[in-house]
Amino acid sequence: MEFRKRTLERLGDLICGNLGSDALRGDAEPPYFHYRSSRYITEFFGDLDMDWEHDGSTRHRWVAGVLECLLAESHEGPAHPPESFCRVIDHLMDPADALNEGRDRPNALRQLNDVLSREGFDAFYGEDGHCYLRHTGTKTVSTLARNPHRPLSVAEVQRRAGLAAFLDSCSEDELIEEVLLPLCRQLGFHRITAAGHRDKALEYGKDIWMRYTLPTQHLLYIGIQVKRGKLDASGRSGAGNAEHPVHPDQRLRRSSPGQMLQL
């Protein structure tokens, strides 16, 4: 999706807070958007989990370049701007950032729509307090919910490539410490303990122990055996390898110490 250069620079002015005068003289309007210096422009995009960092160039033109990149991302059609661009507009129009007017921000909304109308869109507040974009021709509203099946953005593709490169080269301990432990903490597990692999004699134990508290306040204790490569029950191949199924007619028997039960 492409917007006119003038439109992008006008949006850049709104994000940078370049419009309005602090001192009311004659017909001058007060500012309705907060002024953002270089640092706060970077923070504006950082709040949206975007990795854009202002390079010190002209602020509204730099923001226009960022918006142009966001509009170039994959989207559903001409009536639906990319989801990342919609999130920028919603963040810009946060009711908590109202300046010189009420939380419904009628003047800020008017200035924004003066710009968006050139591209066939208008912005409005929903009942949930978020600001949405509507295509004026089809009356189609762009939602803010992330679609898990949407095409990945450029930044997400780069992060996925970095993760894939790390997983291809990391050791088992690095996999545990750099990926699994932070993931388990993020999911709400606590008292997480990693055994490590300094002593190879301890390979047959659990690599991770952790605890999870249910809403009933009951505790679940969970142990994880981590394998980065092939799933082997022992160093042998064939029936001693967890990758090779054993015929179901075989009776249950206990394997030697350090090996798994086989069926």
Side-chain angles (χ1 to χ4, degrees), residues 11-31:
L11 288 174
D13 279 326
L14 298 182
I15 292 175
C16 294
N18 290 341
L19 303 184
S21 172
D22 290 328
L24 289 177
R25 295 190 301 269
D27 295 330
E29 261 193 308

Side-chain angles (χ1 to χ4, degrees), residues 7-8 37 60 82 155 177 210 215 243:
T7 301
L8 295 176
S37 61
H60 75 285
E177 294 171 4
M210 56 189 177
E243 290 181 306

